[in-house]
Amino acid sequence: MSYKSIRARFFRSLVTTMTLVLAVSFLAFSQISIDIADAMLVSDNPVFHRILLQSGYDILPDDVSLSASPKQRWIVVLSLLVCVVGIINAQLMSVTERFREIGTMKCLGALDRFIVRIFVMEASMQGFAGSVTGAFVGGIAACSGAIFRFGTDILPIFPWQDILSTSALAIGTGIGLSLLGVLYPAIMAARMQPVEAMRVEQ
Amino acid sequence: MNREMIIKQIVRVTGVTKDFDLGKIVVNVLKGIDLEIETGKYVSIMGPSGSGKSTLFNMIGGLDKPTEGKVFIDEVDIAQLDAYELAWLRCRKIGYIFQTFNLIPVMTALENVTLPMTFAGVPGDTAISRGMELLAQVGLEGRHAHKPAELSGGQQQRVAVARALANTPSIILADEPTGNLDLKTGEEIISLLKQMSEEQGVTVISATHDYKMLNVSDQVIWIRDGRVDKIQDRDELEIHTGGMSS
């Protein structure tokens, strides 16, 4: 059922999903870039160390891992924040648009739980699609960026495992954000009195 | 009057008033309504617009709470029910038909009919076969895969009738079911409702200002200015509106 209503409002869902794609891909990109730089650092290859220094990373002699600069972290957090706000806005719109539909369902005996479930399921589908795409796009961008910057020499030391786990984390974050964004609109929809919902003109 | 004592009263409304607080002024829409509706009857509530028909309707349907007074459905005071029980009541006991059809636009006719069964926890296959049966009963065989937008007004209202019947309710509440339909389709819907009420013993309560409804009603309740003006049984009615044929 949720799938259908996504299809019916395909374009709008696409916009919501795109917000997620962008935010998650940014998150994945920055994290995976760090993963790769980490791997280069750990590889103990002086050539890599020099390249890293050249490309602007600050390495102290006894560092074993690099971390994102505070500024970079801020940007990631901000992008995620903007994404949540965007999702809340989009879902609120979709609730208002479906006032009558929700009212009808409540008249027919739908429990509050059911209404919440519809919206949560819709959001998790969008969240999943958006996050997976986002993580994929971000991962590809980070990897190809690294190859472009550091040359193909880094391929043997590519930290595949780290990249995968980082992507998984980014996907999880994306789905979490999507659910977080839908919670308030869904609860608002479920709490609505059917009479009030029916009174709204279409 | 012995007969009436045996017949069960499915809806009982006692001293119901309803005020709407519009900020500066308070509008008393209902000013004390007492009603008793018997099981299996086809009852029309007539009255000019603004007389409080729809408000009374929402009270009976448990969609709104009266300011004062009580509404009993099957001898249960609906003010005492919690949200879960109210949802159960709406799901199993009452079928709604609206003036504006209110079908879910993204679903097919069949899915619209099976929706209340989903809420009632009927397993999918049973729901689908019952849904097809209901659609056939209202004369919509072969149209089950159509979306509401692909159906005419009369057909949409037929789907709504089938949906109202989905969980074999004891009451069907129809709020101006013919309000958005032309004369002929309106008549078809009315006779469909009448047929359903006769075949399945469902109590049909409809609000209307459509005089076509009078012909099939067992009882007509006239509402004026938030009060019950008069209640007429079918036989009295035919004397009153002698010119009409039934």
Side-chain angles (χ1 to χ4, degrees):
Chain A
M1 203 161 101
S2 314
Y3 171 66
K4 276 221 188 68
S5 79
I6 288 185
R7 234 181 39 186
R9 300 174 182 81
F10 185 70
F11 188 69
R12 180 96 53 74
S13 318
L14 207 66
V15 174
T16 320
T17 316
M18 274 318 280
T19 351
L20 257 176
V21 170
L22 289 177
V24 172
S25 67
F26 186 57
L27 175 71
F29 174 77
S30 58
Q31 294 302 319
I32 289 174
S33 298
I34 290 168
D35 278 346
I36 294 171
D38 255 358
M40 289 166 69
L41 184 71
V42 177
S43 69
D44 275 336
N45 186 333
V47 183
F48 285 153
H49 281 210
R50 210 188 57 232
I51 301 176
L52 276 178
L53 278 172
Q54 269 175 3
S55 46
Y57 287 97
D58 302 319
I59 311 173
L60 296 173
D62 49 353
D63 265 353
V64 284
S65 84
L66 293 160
S67 59
S69 64
K71 201 165 92 188
Q72 208 173 3
R73 260 188 239 150
W74 257 113
I75 296 173
V76 170
V77 169
L78 269 182
S79 80
L80 295 182
L81 211 67
V82 169
C83 166
V84 173
V85 172
I87 291 173
I88 292 181
N89 184 26
Q91 297 287 4
L92 271 177
M93 286 280 292
S94 115
V95 167
T96 346
E97 194 187 66
R98 286 151 79 179
F99 248 44
R100 219 188 170 80
E101 206 177 304
I102 297 165
T104 311
M105 286 196 200
K106 292 197 89 173
C107 281
L108 296 176
L111 292 170
D112 292 3
R113 229 181 17 228
F114 184 85
I115 310 274
V116 172
R117 208 167 62 200
I118 292 178
F119 281 96
V120 167
M121 263 169 69
E122 228 179 278
S124 52
M125 273 192 263
Q126 286 175 344
F128 186 74
S131 313
V132 169
T133 322
F136 191 70
V137 169
I140 296 279
C143 293
S144 52
I147 291 170
F148 184 72
R149 256 161 68 186
F150 309 132
T152 44
D153 296 343
I154 58 161
L155 275 179
I157 58 144
F158 238 52
W160 294 115
Q161 223 167 6
D162 284 347
I163 291 178
L164 275 183
S165 64
T166 307
S167 311
L169 199 73
I171 291 174
T173 314
I175 295 175
L177 290 180
S178 172
L179 291 180
L180 192 74
V182 82
L183 217 59
Y184 168 67
I187 289 173
M188 199 190 86
R191 289 265 172 83
M192 198 167 52
Q193 290 301 309
V195 208
E196 279 157 37
M198 303 299 293
R199 235 178 253 142
V200 177
E201 287 298 314
Q202 221 158 13
Chain B
M1 292 297 108
N2 221 349
R3 195 176 54 109
E4 270 165 66
M5 289 173 73
I6 302 163
I7 294 173
K8 216 170 109 196
Q9 257 119 33
I10 188 119
V11 176
R12 195 148 59 85
V13 180
T14 53
V16 162
T17 64
K18 178 72 181 177
D19 303 335
F20 283 107
D21 195 348
L22 300 179
K24 283 183 186 159
I25 45 165
V26 175
V27 182
N28 329 58
V29 177
L30 299 180
K31 299 164 184 163
I33 295 226
D34 295 287
L35 273 183
E36 282 174 355
I37 293 169
E38 291 161 19
T39 309
K41 289 235 170 158
Y42 190 114
V43 180
S44 291
I45 299 177
M46 301 280 281
S49 60
S51 59
K53 284 194 309 281
S54 295
T55 312
L56 176 63
F57 239 73
N58 292 338
M59 303 290 161
I60 297 174
L63 295 180
D64 213 346
K65 291 208 162 107
T67 313
E68 265 171 54
K70 286 193 157 84
V71 177
F72 296 90
I73 290 180
D74 246 357
E75 299 305 318
V76 178
D77 182 1
I78 57 172
Q80 304 290 324
L81 301 178
D82 61 25
Y84 187 86
E85 289 165 323
L86 259 180
W88 188 90
L89 185 88
R90 282 180 206 143
C91 189
R92 313 286 179 103
K93 282 267 176 199
I94 303 175
Y96 291 91
I97 298 171
F98 306 96
Q99 180 179 4
T100 48
F101 319 137
N102 285 6
L103 300 174
I104 314 281
V106 295
M107 294 184 177
T108 64
L110 180 64
E111 284 165 333
N112 265 294
V113 176
T114 52
L115 187 66
M117 292 190 253
T118 318
F119 297 149
V122 177
D125 293 340
T126 326
I128 286 172
S129 63
R130 170 138 178 87
M132 293 300 262
E133 217 174 274
L134 282 166
L135 282 175
Q137 267 180 36
V138 297
L140 285 176
E141 296 108 324
R143 309 299 298 267
H144 59 89
H146 289 245
K147 296 263 171 70
E150 297 159 3
L151 297 168
S152 73
Q155 286 168 332
Q156 286 187 43
Q157 195 61 298
R158 280 161 188 272
V159 175
V161 172
R163 181 178 68 181
L165 287 165
N167 285 326
T168 53
S170 20
I171 308 168
I172 287 189
L173 283 176
D175 193 354
E176 308 207 13
T178 58
N180 273 359
L181 299 174
D182 62 45
L183 208 72
K184 188 166 161 292
T185 36
E187 266 168 8
E188 279 167 16
I189 293 293
I190 292 168
S191 58
L192 182 66
L193 279 174
K194 177 69 180 171
Q195 185 196 337
M196 294 296 161
S197 116
E198 273 169 1
E199 281 173 8
Q200 311 189 0
V202 187
T203 314
V204 178
I205 306 172
S206 67
T208 185
H209 40 236
D210 186 347
Y211 283 89
K212 294 195 293 293
M213 278 278 188
L214 291 180
N215 295 335
V216 292
S217 309
D218 295 319
Q219 200 174 41
V220 180
I221 298 164
W222 298 84
I223 303 255
R224 187 171 290 273
D225 244 357
R227 288 178 210 284
V228 176
D229 198 18
K230 56 191 170 186
I231 299 179
Q232 292 177 313
D233 277 339
R234 188 181 173 77
D235 33 359
E236 299 169 45
L237 196 75
E238 262 165 353
I239 302 166
H240 201 74
T241 56
M244 288 186 166
S245 59
S246 55

